[in-house]
Amino acid sequence: MMPHLFSTFFYLMFFFQLDFSDYTQKIDGSDLSIDMVSISGGKFDMGESLRDNTEVSSFWISKYEITWEIYNLFMEHEISNDQKFKVGDERISLDGISKPTTPYTDMTFGMGYEGYPAVNMTHYSATKFCQWLSINTGYYYRLPTEAEWEYASRAGSRKDNWFGDEVSVIDDYAWYKENSGGKYQKVGQKKPNSWGLYDMLGNVSEWVADSYEERIFKPRGIRKNPFVYDESKYPKVYRGGSWKDKPENLSSSKRYFSDKSLQKRDPQIPKSLWWNTDAPFIGFRVVRVDEISKSSLRKKFWNNLNFIIN
């Protein structure tokens, strides 16, 4: 009999039954879409290890960071019930979800809207966007795990950054403190990495699915599809560095994690589930997978369990 209890560090490998190629995901009710890039799975040296220590299965990831126009569709969606999305060949019913509260101020902070990355959403809000996108499109979307994000960022390179160790060439690939003009920039203006992904470093940091665990890289052999989940609001991981960081803080392996300082100017009591008043440097991108083991894991990726506010 196969075991049915699994550590939160692992989830079952998924098998693609559809054509595994790049595609464009149309969003119903709009003329907007998300370009998705297919990433073949493999082993890689996650973190600063000098050996292959992590294995990920294949997935799709968005070519660009999610922009304000697309995120705004989520903020304005109609709440309804009994909707379905697809996992492999299975259609799964799902109740409608709530939408973000109206922010008390302009969350772009005047840095730009059309074509610019959405920012200032909480980790919870980013996961709910993924749930909404799944309902809207009929396919399973979520945030990338730390492992998926780093694997995609490295793009097959064994170096910490795909363009090598020369800091002088980072201008070609990333927006950071010295070249950003003190704000985020439109997505896709710099060169992509060798797998065709834009702004993986710089511009805005990106939420990933995982809760932060300090000793995640402690040797345990090859880790397959690791995922760390904790119900607490903090700390959650974000990756990549942003427009306000120095070049040395933009790397595929560097880890950042959230805390209460991201909401220090939030006037609401309790603090908003949806908005971070002090995170104009954090956005996200999405991944799609075509098989997931069970609903309890989907709930973890979408923060559908008891959410602890602290």
Side-chain angles (χ1 to χ4, degrees), residues 9-293:
F9 295 102
F10 299 92
Y11 61 93
L12 293 180
M13 295 180 68
F14 42 81
F15 174 75
F16 292 113
Q17 301 182 30
L18 304 178
D19 178 33
F20 186 54
S21 57
D22 297 356
Y23 70 97
T24 297
Q25 178 65 71
K26 273 285 297 169
I27 302 177
D28 288 348
S30 78
D31 58 358
L32 299 175
S33 59
I34 301 174
D35 292 333
M36 301 296 295
V37 177
S38 60
I39 305 294
S40 297
K43 296 178 181 178
F44 73 110
D45 48 343
M46 185 174 176
E48 297 177 351
S49 171
L50 297 178
R51 61 183 178 82
D52 289 337
N53 61 10
T54 305
E55 181 178 353
V56 295
S57 301
S58 300
F59 56 94
W60 290 277
I61 188 168
S62 53
K63 181 182 290 189
Y64 308 105
E65 294 156 337
I66 297 299
T67 60
W68 276 116
E69 308 98 290
I70 295 173
Y71 191 74
N72 194 52
L73 295 176
F74 164 55
M75 292 195 289
E76 296 181 347
H77 78 271
E78 297 270 338
I79 299 173
S80 59
N81 296 318
D82 194 27
Q83 301 183 66
K84 296 182 178 181
F85 70 100
K86 188 175 182 181
V87 177
D89 290 330
E90 182 182 3
R91 281 282 181 182
I92 297 173
S93 295
L94 190 70
D95 290 339
I97 61 170
S98 59
K99 59 184 179 181
T101 54
T102 302
Y104 81 101
T105 190
D106 173 18
M107 286 299 180
T108 73
F109 289 178
M111 293 191 292
Y113 178 81
E114 188 173 352
Y116 290 88
V119 295
N120 277 315
M121 74 291 295
T122 61
H123 182 269
Y124 176 81
S125 189
T127 64
K128 289 304 180 185
F129 171 92
C130 296
Q131 185 175 354
W132 166 81
L133 184 63
S134 299
I135 293 173
N136 179 278
T137 63
Y139 296 103
Y140 180 61
Y141 287 93
R142 57 168 172 76
L143 293 178
T145 63
E146 275 204 81
E148 289 165 344
W149 188 94
E150 184 173 329
Y151 181 72
S153 179
R154 288 179 180 274
S157 173
R158 297 192 70 89
K159 295 181 178 294
D160 195 36
N161 296 324
W162 67 85
F163 47 78
D165 299 325
E166 292 295 325
V167 176
S168 60
V169 302
I170 199 170
D171 269 358
D172 294 336
Y173 297 95
W175 298 106
Y176 59 100
K177 186 174 183 178
E178 281 75 23
N179 71 357
S180 67
K183 62 186 289 290
Y184 59 50
Q185 301 293 324
K186 287 188 175 182
V187 301
Q189 294 189 88
K190 296 292 187 178
K191 292 180 180 178
N193 71 8
S194 55
W195 287 355
L197 303 176
Y198 291 81
D199 302 310
M200 289 298 290
L201 302 181
N203 207 22
V204 294
S205 296
E206 299 172 11
W207 287 121
V208 295
D210 300 61
S211 300
Y212 180 76
E213 182 199 326
E214 184 177 1
R215 296 172 62 80
I216 190 175
F217 300 124
K218 182 179 179 181
R220 352 175 134 90
I222 296 291
R223 303 171 308 146
K224 295 184 178 180
N225 296 317
F227 169 48
V228 178
Y229 177 79
D230 186 279
E231 293 182 24
S232 298
K233 186 175 183 178
Y234 307 117
K236 304 296 185 184
V237 180
Y238 55 96
R239 291 292 207 112
S242 76
W243 56 268
K244 62 181 298 183
D245 288 310
K246 295 180 178 181
E248 56 266 31
N249 290 327
L250 274 57
S251 76
S252 297
S253 65
K254 190 171 181 63
R255 308 169 73 213
Y256 299 87
F257 57 89
S258 62
D259 58 31
K260 294 180 180 180
S261 67
L262 297 182
Q263 291 186 310
K264 64 185 178 182
R265 291 181 292 176
D266 189 340
Q268 302 178 84
I269 299 174
K271 301 295 187 184
S272 173
L273 287 177
W274 301 99
W275 296 103
N276 283 323
T277 52
D278 298 88
F281 54 91
I282 305 178
F284 67 101
R285 70 182 73 217
V286 299
V287 303
R288 175 187 159 195
V289 297
D290 246 353
E291 185 175 325
I292 203 72
S293 57

